[in-house]
Amino acid sequence: MSPAKRVQLLAAISVSVALSCVAWLQADELSWVFAFEEPTATQEPAFFETILDYKAPSGVAHAVSASLFEGRFDLHWFEGTRESHEDVVIKRAQFELDAGQSWVPGPVDTFLSRHDMAKLSQPHQAIWSLGNTIQLRPGSTSQLTTIVSVGGWAAAAIAKVDIEQNTIKKVRKLRLSPMFNRSHLVRNEVVEYEDGTLAIPAYFELGNSFGVFVRLDDAYQVHDKSRMSEGRVAIQPDVVVTGPQSAVALMRNFDKTSNQLVATWTEDGGQSWSPVEFLDLPNPNAPVAAVLTHRNGILMAYNDDPHHGHTLSLGLSKDEGRTWTAIAQLENGEGNVRYPEIRQLQNGQYMLAYSVGSKTGIRAHVFNEAWIEEQYGR
């Protein structure tokens, strides 16, 4: 190696080390305290109401998620001929309260298309199909969307889609992987911190699939990333914050040799996660959804058959997700019932949505804390 090239190499190494040191120092500046608030209490009598029973005209309607706003909420899902097909779009139904305080959906419309997103991607890239989509943060119209530019889900990426007044303004792929930023997907809602930054419970799905906790800085750049299921094939973590620095992540068991739900816990705000554990609950390779309730319980929607996805039940845990009591079975019919989404709305009620008919439709319900406790006490 010539002296000139040796100097260039040493300079490059010095710059790399310096940048690593800067990143390390900046990481210490982030708060690792969750934006924890006690769930809202309601005083109304127990009730349970179905507010949406949608059937796709053809093909699939799947992977529903909720976006929460002041006085309303939206549901999004992907719809098309089949998963990762070129005609897949993100559909939307908007819900508002009527004069009788019932949630009423507006017409189902197209929210995002791959063509519009590809035109505004920075840097420009082709987008073949779309997948799971979640709200960037409560109150925001922007989304985190799974995009496929080549191959299938295992080669997907996560894009931040900035939206203003129903118009896409910018699409930027998050830098999560050295392999062309591919093989990461998103499924469940973000985690907020007291300093205003976010973390994404994402997952890697190429070869050794695992959950990933991705911390973003205030510019939505990736600042820290840690595995959540070391040694286990578990994906699609749903993180329930239970205190200022405590949380549990409930994960889909992607390992075909066992059929139990997987969980991991953090006590330091997500900087580290405990070794994963198998819970005494069935999991037929299916994602779950959970939310903290007012009475310090965790409510979870899950498929309760170890081998099939045709049933959907609600379970309640009073010990931060370690043990569970089944309180209600909502579905037990033909076709798979998959991908639940459960959120507490601003009025204190709970919204549960999921795919029905083996991914051909979307069903949604609202209920309250009194109904949960009524089921638990039976």
Side-chain angles (χ1 to χ4, degrees), residues 25-349:
L25 290 172
Q26 288 177 336
D28 281 351
E29 295 172 359
L30 285 179
S31 168
W32 289 91
V33 178
F34 297 126
F36 176 72
E37 294 183 7
E38 293 285 349
T40 305
T42 59
Q43 302 299 322
E44 57 194 351
F47 84 94
F48 182 102
E49 181 183 1
T50 300
I51 58 172
L52 181 69
D53 203 352
Y54 171 80
K55 173 73 173 178
S58 62
V60 300
H62 188 43
V64 63
S65 68
S67 292
L68 307 186
F69 303 96
E70 184 69 38
R72 70 176 179 89
F73 70 92
D74 298 349
L75 292 181
H76 305 107
W77 62 87
F78 69 75
E79 186 170 320
T81 300
R82 61 179 183 276
E83 291 188 32
S84 21
H85 193 266
E86 62 180 335
D87 66 1
V88 165
V89 296
I90 304 301
K91 292 287 189 176
R92 174 182 62 178
Q94 297 179 294
F95 291 78
E96 295 183 348
L97 288 170
D98 65 10
Q101 295 300 295
S102 294
W103 290 104
V104 178
V108 174
D109 62 4
T110 297
F111 181 56
L112 296 174
S113 75
R114 68 181 183 92
H115 299 290
D116 292 340
M117 289 177 58
K119 292 176 186 175
L120 295 165
S121 61
Q122 300 179 12
H124 177 73
Q125 65 173 318
I127 297 177
W128 172 255
S129 190
L130 305 177
N132 304 346
T133 297
I134 65 170
Q135 188 177 28
L136 179 63
R137 63 166 73 238
S140 172
T141 55
S142 296
Q143 303 284 314
L144 295 170
T145 300
T146 300
I147 60 174
V148 179
S149 297
V150 62
W153 295 136
I158 301 172
K160 177 176 175 285
V161 186
D162 294 328
I163 302 171
E164 297 177 9
Q165 297 180 341
N166 290 325
T167 301
I168 299 174
K169 297 297 183 180
K170 181 180 178 181
V171 178
R172 177 176 64 84
K173 188 164 62 174
L174 299 186
R175 298 183 179 276
L176 293 176
S177 170
M179 296 184 297
F180 308 103
N181 291 326
R182 302 194 186 281
S183 302
H184 283 84
L185 300 88
V186 69
R187 164 68 189 118
N188 294 304
E189 65 181 289
V190 299
V191 178
E192 296 186 276
Y193 284 85
E194 67 170 11
D195 64 1
T197 59
L198 305 173
I200 307 170
Y203 59 104
F204 184 85
E205 196 180 318
L206 181 63
N208 182 24
S209 304
F210 51 84
V212 184
F213 198 66
V214 181
R215 187 73 192 274
L216 304 180
D217 62 18
D218 55 7
Y220 299 105
Q221 299 288 341
V222 176
H223 199 81
D224 184 82
K225 187 173 72 168
S226 59
R227 287 196 184 192
M228 303 176 71
S229 52
E230 193 74 43
R232 296 290 183 191
V233 184
I235 62 172
Q236 297 174 335
D238 190 12
V239 175
V240 180
V241 174
T242 55
Q245 287 194 292
S246 61
V248 57
L250 301 160
M251 305 177 70
R252 172 182 178 179
N253 189 343
F254 214 45
D255 184 353
K256 296 180 175 59
T257 64
S258 59
N259 301 94
Q260 291 171 277
L261 191 64
V262 175
T264 178
W265 290 263
T266 182
E267 297 294 338
D268 58 11
Q271 296 177 78
S272 62
W273 295 84
S274 67
V276 297
E277 298 180 17
F278 286 122
L279 300 181
D280 188 21
L281 283 174
N283 184 249
N285 187 13
V288 302
V291 66
L292 191 68
T293 68
H294 171 62
R295 300 188 181 180
N296 296 319
I298 298 176
L299 181 70
M300 179 175 65
Y302 65 104
N303 298 105
D304 60 356
D305 186 301
H307 305 290
H308 304 284
H310 66 285
T311 63
L312 187 78
S313 291
L314 291 175
L316 193 65
S317 172
K318 299 284 189 175
D319 57 4
E320 299 191 345
R322 289 173 171 82
T323 61
W324 294 84
T325 300
I327 65 170
Q329 187 175 78
L330 302 181
E331 302 284 349
N332 186 6
E334 296 182 4
N336 284 332
V337 184
R338 306 273 285 185
Y339 274 60
E341 164 82 323
I342 188 167
R343 303 286 294 275
Q344 187 178 39
L345 306 175
Q346 289 184 340
N347 64 357
Q349 297 172 355

